[in-house]
Amino acid sequence: MTADGQQPGQPVLPPAAAGTESSRTPDGEWLRVHPASPFVRGWVALAAIAFFFGRDLFERSLQGQPVFEEGFGRRAPWVLGGGAVVLAVAVLGFVLTWYFTKYQVSAGYVRVNSGLLYRQHRQARLDRVQAIDIVQPLLARIFGLAELKFEVADAGESAVRLAYLKIADARQLRATILARASGAVAGAGSGAGYIPGRPPGIDLEGPAGQQHPAQPAPEAPEFTVLAVPPSRLIGSLLLSEQSFFIVVGGAASMFLSALTDNRAFYFYLVPAALGLAASYWNFFNKGYNFIAAISPDGIRLRYGLLDTQAQTLPPGRIQAVKIAQPPLWRPFGWYRIQVNVAGYGTSGNAVEGNTRTILLPVGKFADVLAMLSLVLPDPGTDQPEAVFAAGLGGFDSHGGFVTTPRRAWLLAPLAWRRNGFAATDTALLIRSGRWWRELVVVPHQRTQSMALHQGPVARHFRVADLVLHTTAGPVAPRLTQAGLDEARQLFDEQSARARLARKRQTTEQWLRQVVPSVEPVPECTPAVKPGAAAEPRTHYQQEGQQHG
């Protein structure tokens, strides 16, 4: 299934790391995933076969009866023969699935062919890749395998997956593709680019456009920005909204049981407790050992207890950011950051989609600024700390925000002084909520369309809502109850800002957007030492200070 409907280009992808299968084959050749892949994916089917044929033996042993019932010896050959046939069919299906699953990285595309009876072809254009994840379920970690997931703009069902590769091969392939997509190496129609170890601007094309294969791109160095301690993660779960409602429900059940002398109310807490425990475990398992880092190929997020995941979000692919603070987190100064990324919002698994859109599960204000500096390197203001502090906890016009006019305070008696907006040179900030505080940040170039909404009550108070449309996800940018004149003015000004910002974005390769022209660096004095990354400096930092 084609990811974007455009014709592939001509450049050839550099081979993978030396010593791997990809490096021993010509670029563009169709390769197969690891032979153990179908067994790692299909272990549930093998477990189901074992359970079906061993269930009676297990139940008899639990009941204290003889393991083999009378007459079992006469039926044993048929049972064993049937089990062997079913197992052979399953193994044959696994082998055929592996044999007919091939992938290719060439001409600016990654392609995957799969299916025995129903053939399926998927491809994603490298310079349109929104994010690349390395996923390691528990069984895959045992075998040293990993799944590589490519998210593209229309993703969801059309996301390209390679399951499973050796972990070293998966990392090397991810590094090479990200280097190509970012513009660090030539490819995807770029013609020339930067190769690690060579001065930028070297033309990789010889006479008459003949291309010379480049060396495999090494994994880009990284600088760790923050890590979430497990104690803070546990505390955030205990003080979450789910905990609040389960405590309120438990108190109500106890009160009703004492009032009516009927203890049946306690049984209503059982499904809620089970659901809460499952939710706790999911978020703890996904948020454990959360580490955020920055590298030349994007923002790197690593997390997971049993199932580990390594996400790489290219700069500029994030469409909108939401910073939220529940009431119980306010005494500790904790915040959560979620983002909209094309491909993540339409994931078939709702739980997986929610965890993959979390940019920071829980962190302090300094952590929020650190993550914002990665998403929006230029905040567009000389006082970013004051502006974002006003967006998260300020009232009225603090930080330059324009709030709901006093005449409409009846529509939001508690939040009218909070609901408002502020525009910097690079992003639009929308804040809302008195108890559940939220701040939404939308880069100007990511504003796809806008709409003004006004109902009969809002028309009476001369206010309106401004809705910004982005890709699907947990962030829904909406300015509520703005003054009618202010909303119309913002509509016109934001349209102009978005149009101008999109004109400045001349390429999909984000490294070329950040550094349009770079002076050659002599090989004897590299800017970044091998295996290390230079600490990033942003507009969010004071002179002489660094975050990390």
Side-chain angles (χ1 to χ4, degrees):
M1 182 175 182
T2 303
D4 46 45
Q6 298 191 23
Q7 295 299 323
Q10 296 301 323
V12 180
L13 188 72
T20 64
E21 180 185 3
S22 299
S23 64
R24 296 193 300 266
T25 56
D27 179 43
E29 182 173 340
W30 288 93
L31 304 175
R32 291 189 176 91
V33 296
H34 195 275
S37 300
F39 297 95
V40 175
R41 290 199 306 262
W43 68 270
V44 175
L46 298 178
I49 294 173
F51 174 78
F52 178 79
F53 286 96
R55 179 184 58 183
D56 292 339
L57 303 180
F58 181 72
E59 291 179 351
R60 292 178 66 85
S61 63
L62 290 180
Q63 296 172 1
Q65 301 178 7
V67 177
F68 299 103
E69 61 183 355
E70 185 178 355
F72 179 78
R74 295 190 300 271
R75 295 186 292 108
W78 296 98
V79 174
L80 295 177
V85 170
V86 174
L87 182 61
V89 171
V91 172
L92 180 61
F94 289 165
V95 172
L96 292 177
T97 299
W98 167 80
Y99 182 80
F100 285 97
T101 300
K102 300 179 182 180
Y103 70 95
Q104 178 195 56
V105 183
S106 178
Y109 281 75
V110 55
R111 301 179 178 88
V112 178
N113 286 344
S114 60
L116 175 59
L117 299 179
Y118 297 94
R119 300 292 293 164
Q120 186 179 58
H121 174 77
R122 291 185 177 181
Q123 68 178 22
R125 182 170 158 176
L126 298 185
D127 61 353
R128 299 299 177 87
V129 170
Q130 302 293 321
I132 299 181
D133 300 351
I134 292 181
V135 184
Q136 280 191 290
L138 181 59
L139 191 59
R141 290 175 61 187
I142 295 175
F143 287 95
L145 304 178
E147 177 185 8
L148 205 60
K149 301 174 67 173
F150 305 85
E151 299 294 347
V152 291
D154 63 345
E157 293 299 325
S158 63
V160 177
R161 295 183 165 205
L162 290 179
Y164 289 88
L165 305 175
K166 290 182 179 180
I167 182 63
D169 293 344
R171 289 173 177 169
Q172 177 61 57
L173 184 57
R174 179 186 65 172
T176 304
I177 291 176
L178 286 175
R180 170 71 63 82
S182 65
V185 299
S190 61
Y194 168 70
I195 297 180
R198 299 186 186 180
I202 291 181
D203 191 356
L204 296 180
E205 297 189 2
Q210 181 182 0
Q211 295 186 357
H212 303 282
Q215 294 297 321
E219 189 164 6
E222 67 178 38
F223 170 72
T224 300
V225 176
L226 61 87
V228 177
S231 57
R232 184 188 299 173
L233 181 63
I234 295 175
S236 67
L237 293 176
L238 295 178
L239 296 177
S240 61
E241 297 91 334
Q242 296 93 327
S243 299
F244 173 78
F245 288 116
I246 197 67
V247 169
V248 172
S253 298
M254 294 177 61
F255 175 77
L256 293 175
S257 297
L259 185 65
T260 61
D261 197 21
N262 183 358
R263 300 192 177 184
F265 291 99
Y266 289 113
F267 292 101
Y268 297 127
L269 295 178
V270 174
L274 293 177
L276 183 64
S279 176
Y280 277 171
W281 168 250
N282 175 71
F283 281 100
F284 180 78
N285 182 38
K286 297 295 185 181
Y288 181 80
N289 197 29
F290 185 94
I291 296 176
I294 183 64
S295 70
D297 56 22
I299 304 170
R300 294 182 180 176
L301 307 177
R302 292 192 295 272
Y303 51 86
L305 178 60
L306 297 180
D307 300 343
T308 61
Q309 187 159 326
Q311 293 180 238
T312 302
L313 300 177
R317 295 298 202 246
I318 296 177
Q319 309 291 320
V321 182
K322 180 175 69 175
I323 309 165
Q325 186 184 53
L328 297 179
W329 288 14
R330 196 172 305 162
F332 302 92
W334 292 344
Y335 301 89
R336 178 191 297 120
I337 301 181
Q338 292 179 282
V339 295
N340 282 1
V341 178
Y344 280 175
T346 55
S347 175
N349 188 332
V351 175
E352 179 185 5
N354 290 335
T355 55
R356 294 172 70 192
T357 57
I358 294 178
L359 193 64
L360 178 65
V362 55
K364 299 278 191 175
F365 180 67
D367 301 329
V368 171
L369 291 182
M371 298 306 295
L372 285 176
S373 69
L374 308 183
V375 177
L376 195 68
D378 181 9
T381 175
D382 296 333
Q383 297 178 330
E385 185 174 350
V387 171
F388 285 104
L392 293 172
F395 293 89
D396 298 327
S397 60
H398 295 166
F401 278 81
V402 179
T403 58
T404 300
R406 182 180 294 273
R407 64 176 180 271
W409 71 272
L410 283 175
L411 300 179
L414 298 179
W416 70 274
R417 296 173 57 199
R418 276 275 305 163
N419 298 340
F421 71 92
T424 70
D425 293 340
T426 57
L428 178 66
L429 282 61
I430 302 175
R431 73 181 185 190
S432 61
R434 177 67 179 267
W435 299 108
W436 276 268
R437 296 179 177 178
E438 291 185 357
L439 175 65
V440 174
V441 181
V442 182
H444 293 323
Q445 68 270 23
R446 298 304 168 190
T447 301
Q448 299 181 359
S449 62
M450 295 182 295
L452 280 174
H453 293 181
Q454 187 184 51
V457 177
R459 190 178 302 115
H460 173 74
F461 287 96
R462 298 191 69 252
V463 294
D465 293 357
L466 178 66
V467 180
L468 276 69
H469 303 141
T470 67
T471 58
V475 186
R478 186 185 186 100
L479 172 63
T480 59
Q481 298 158 3
L484 183 59
D485 296 335
E486 290 84 352
R488 289 173 175 171
Q489 182 179 358
L490 177 61
F491 185 92
D492 296 334
E493 293 178 350
Q494 185 62 20
S495 299
R497 284 191 288 258
R499 183 167 56 253
L500 180 60
R502 283 192 295 269
K503 286 182 178 180
R504 293 174 178 173
Q505 183 178 343
T506 58
T507 174
E508 291 290 336
Q509 296 178 332
W510 58 88
L511 195 60
R512 294 176 180 271
Q513 297 176 29
V514 177
V515 187
S517 60
V518 184
E519 294 297 326
V521 180
E523 294 186 4
C524 59
T525 57
V528 180
K529 296 180 180 180
E535 296 183 1
R537 299 187 55 78
T538 69
H539 296 275
Y540 294 78
Q541 298 172 271
Q542 299 295 331
E543 186 67 28
Q545 294 182 345
Q546 296 176 341
H547 67 260

